[in-house]
């Protein structure tokens, strides 16, 4: 019998109402049903921006970065904490996944602190205050461990909460990466629009099954990996130095692909290892 | 030592951002800290209506009742499932209450079914379809019991979820009453704008500490209880036939009032018993 795995899956908000979620849900059921520990983290930026527009709220940019004021934060609570978390859990439940929707203030599962004003690259010499934006301080791992033990799949909306009860906007990728580190996850799974890292971006069959750090440097040097893919993978390799054992990049999911990618690393998607 | 109590507290959405919540939160901390089992249910009708108006959505009425279409339901997810559940939990956490925010699709904690079209009093002979409105089918009591055992206070947004993952709008009072019944709660606590049931509505000191069913009938007959109070209390007495052991009506909360009302029934508010 294979050892039990701890898996953190990051889903973009755009997947919540997509037909692919049905395949993903069936995969998650087999994965979590086998006593593996599975947690999901989702964002919802695009849907939040759309509602913000409908509400006639302006997007305030400071030094090229989005500023989170109280009204923007409410929209994040509406969309990410409310609608998307509900709809995602509801669809997972209907496929037999024992999803438990949580936001950062559910048992303080995402304990955050407001990001202090920081000097930012390309934004001049003055520190930039992005408003109600948070950095993860800690997770309520004890609550998550209890939910795993009880056979549930925690589904976290990426909204943090500070000591005083202030909600804080946090990037979903960051929450997923840090959670994977904190849980010493066997895999942080990122769902992308390609079936993994490709030698030839136009050829889906040119998937690279496994990349270790030295191999990554070689692939960058010889131009196989180029452009926007470099910082993306760079970021994923950074995750590996914070506790997670691997990062798995999978594409638009075919049936069983997620399970294979996690349980037989390399057989689907691309697995990044130190 | 007093026996441990199971308490379900219904909060109107209007309390979430009110200064009184601070007093309530301190009370809840002592109540839940003593290993009593405490669950909260909240609605958010007024705030949802306000956002609906901002979004320019029409309120569709059928036979004098509000119809829940998909757009209305999304607003409920935004406000009740998202903003209010987050803000309520966040404020409770900041007072040391170990609140865990959940919606109906969190572990299917509120399993609902769509209400079939029904002939309704005063709405003619034809069955009325209120749209995406649900009736509680069951609660995930096992999840709630586990959270109690782990020392958490579940905070339920009154949104149900059916078998197929369809969200359903449910009345918060109904969810709270039925949950109190399902948990065989010692008390269903309703927070109102008066300090309990009063002999003289203009005199807060005329509080009636305890009313049993025969006494209620007497107080109605002699006119002490009249008008809109009659159906309200009637409904509360009905709760007592569905498993809850008492209904406690408390008013705008003074410090310690909730704890007293629950642990020493009759010492604050009004307790209704069979």
């Amino acid at each position: 019998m294979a050892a039990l795995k701890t898996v953190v899956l990051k889903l973009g908000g755009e997947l919540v109402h997509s037909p692919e979620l049905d395949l993903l849900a069936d995969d998650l059921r087999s994965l979590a049903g086998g006593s593996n520990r599975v947690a999901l983290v989702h964002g919802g930026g695009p849907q939040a921006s759309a509602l913000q527009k409908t509400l006639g709220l302006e997007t305030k940019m400071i030094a090229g970065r989005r500023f989170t004021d109280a009204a923007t934060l409410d929209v994040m609570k509406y969309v990410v904490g409310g609608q998307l978390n509900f709809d995602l859990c509801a669809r997972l439940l209907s496929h037999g996944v024992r999803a438990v929707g949580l936001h950062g203030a559910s048992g303080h599962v995402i304990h955050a602190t407001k990001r202090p004003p920081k000097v930012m690259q390309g934004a001049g010499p003055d520190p930039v205050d992005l408003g109600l934006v948070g950095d993860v301080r800690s997770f309520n791992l004890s609550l998550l461990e209890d939910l795993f033990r009880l056979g549930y799949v925690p589904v976290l909306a990426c909204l943090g909460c500070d000591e005083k009860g202030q909600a804080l906007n946090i990037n979903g990728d960051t929450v997923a990466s840090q959670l994977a580190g904190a849980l010493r996850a066997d895999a942080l799974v990122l769902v992308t629009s390609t079936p993994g890292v490709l030698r030839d971006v136009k050829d889906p069959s040119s998937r690279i099954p496994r990349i270790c750090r030295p191999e990554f440097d070689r692939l960058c040097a010889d131009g196989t990996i180029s452009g926007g893919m470099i910082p993306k993978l760079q970021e994923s390799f950074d995750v590996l130095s914070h506790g997670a054992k691997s990062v798995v990049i999978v594409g638009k999911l075919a049936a069983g692909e997620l399970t294979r990618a996690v349980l037989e690393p390399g057989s689907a998607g691309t697995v990044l290892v130190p």
Side-chain angles (χ1 to χ4, degrees), chain A residues 197 199 206-211 247 249 265-272:
Chain A
V197 181
R199 281 192 186 272
S206 68
R207 174 178 68 86
I208 310 175
R210 190 172 182 281
I211 309 178
V247 175
I249 298 172
S267 67
T270 297
V271 57
L272 310 182

Side-chain angles (χ1 to χ4, degrees), chain A residues 68-99:
Chain A
T68 302
D69 56 11
T72 305
L73 196 65
D74 270 336
V75 172
M76 294 299 291
K77 290 179 198 164
Y78 292 159
V79 173
V80 181
Q83 185 198 36
L84 294 180
N85 193 266
F86 190 103
D87 289 351
L88 177 54
C89 290
R91 279 188 75 191
L92 293 176
L93 286 174
S94 75
H95 282 266
V97 178
R98 303 183 70 217

Side-chain angles (χ1 to χ4, degrees), chain A residues 243-260:
Chain A
K245 291 174 199 142
S246 74
V247 175
V248 177
I249 298 172
V250 289
K252 294 211 178 246
L253 293 153
E257 190 164 339
L258 174 68
T259 318
R260 274 200 307 279

Side-chain angles (χ1 to χ4, degrees), chain A residues 171-220:
Chain A
N171 178 278
D173 290 320
T174 309
V175 171
S177 303
Q178 299 198 3
L179 180 61
L183 286 170
R184 312 268 155 205
D186 296 283
L188 165 67
V189 180
L190 306 173
V191 179
T192 64
S193 51
T194 62
V197 181
L198 305 176
R199 281 192 186 272
D200 174 357
V201 286
K202 286 171 197 151
D203 178 7
S205 73
S206 68
R207 174 178 68 86
I208 310 175
R210 190 172 182 281
I211 309 178
C212 62
R213 186 67 200 233
E215 175 74 3
F216 170 64
D217 294 334
R218 264 196 305 276
L219 291 168
C220 290

Side-chain angles (χ1 to χ4, degrees), chain A residues 2-246:
Chain A
L4 298 184
K5 303 274 188 181
T6 302
V7 179
V8 174
L9 181 72
K10 162 70 195 344
L11 284 189
E14 69 285 357
L15 267 170
V16 174
H17 296 124
S18 75
E20 291 161 80
L21 189 64
D22 292 318
L23 293 175
L24 182 71
D26 286 335
D27 254 20
L28 277 172
R29 188 187 52 227
S30 1
L31 201 58
S35 296
N36 295 303
R37 299 145 29 112
V38 182
L40 266 67
V41 175
H42 70 92
Q47 288 101 327
S49 298
L51 180 61
Q52 205 168 8
K53 216 170 159 183
T54 308
L55 285 167
L57 295 170
E58 264 179 65
T59 304
K60 190 175 161 194
M61 305 296 282
I62 294 196
R65 299 290 287 254
R66 187 191 294 245
F67 180 81
T68 302
D69 56 11
T72 305
L73 196 65
D74 270 336
V75 172
M76 294 299 291
K77 290 179 198 164
Y78 292 159
V79 173
V80 181
Q83 185 198 36
L84 294 180
N85 193 266
F86 190 103
D87 289 351
L88 177 54
C89 290
R91 279 188 75 191
L92 293 176
L93 286 174
S94 75
H95 282 266
V97 178
R98 303 183 70 217
V100 174
L102 304 169
H103 47 64
S106 291
H108 230 152
V109 73
I110 309 174
H111 193 154
T113 44
K114 186 181 176 314
R115 182 175 299 170
K118 269 187 194 164
V119 174
M120 285 167 59
Q121 225 179 358
D126 292 331
V128 176
D129 185 351
L130 291 174
L132 300 168
V133 167
D135 293 312
V136 175
R137 186 167 138 181
S138 61
F139 296 99
N140 184 343
L141 293 179
S142 135
L143 174 59
L144 294 175
E145 299 281 0
D146 283 320
L147 290 172
F148 289 145
R149 198 174 32 76
L150 296 164
Y152 291 108
V153 173
V155 176
L156 275 63
C158 65
L159 275 169
C161 178
D162 81 2
E163 202 89 330
K164 292 179 179 161
Q166 173 64 54
L168 294 165
N169 192 3
I170 313 192
N171 178 278
D173 290 320
T174 309
V175 171
S177 303
Q178 299 198 3
L179 180 61
L183 286 170
R184 312 268 155 205
D186 296 283
L188 165 67
V189 180
L190 306 173
V191 179
T192 64
S193 51
T194 62
V197 181
L198 305 176
R199 281 192 186 272
D200 174 357
V201 286
K202 286 171 197 151
D203 178 7
S205 73
S206 68
R207 174 178 68 86
I208 310 175
R210 190 172 182 281
I211 309 178
C212 62
R213 186 67 200 233
E215 175 74 3
F216 170 64
D217 294 334
R218 264 196 305 276
L219 291 168
C220 290
D222 73 10
T224 307
I225 297 174
S226 63
M229 202 64 182
I230 296 179
K232 263 201 155 161
L233 291 180
Q234 187 68 59
E235 220 174 280
S236 297
F237 276 108
D238 289 347
V239 170
L240 299 179
S241 51
H242 291 99
K245 291 174 199 142
S246 74

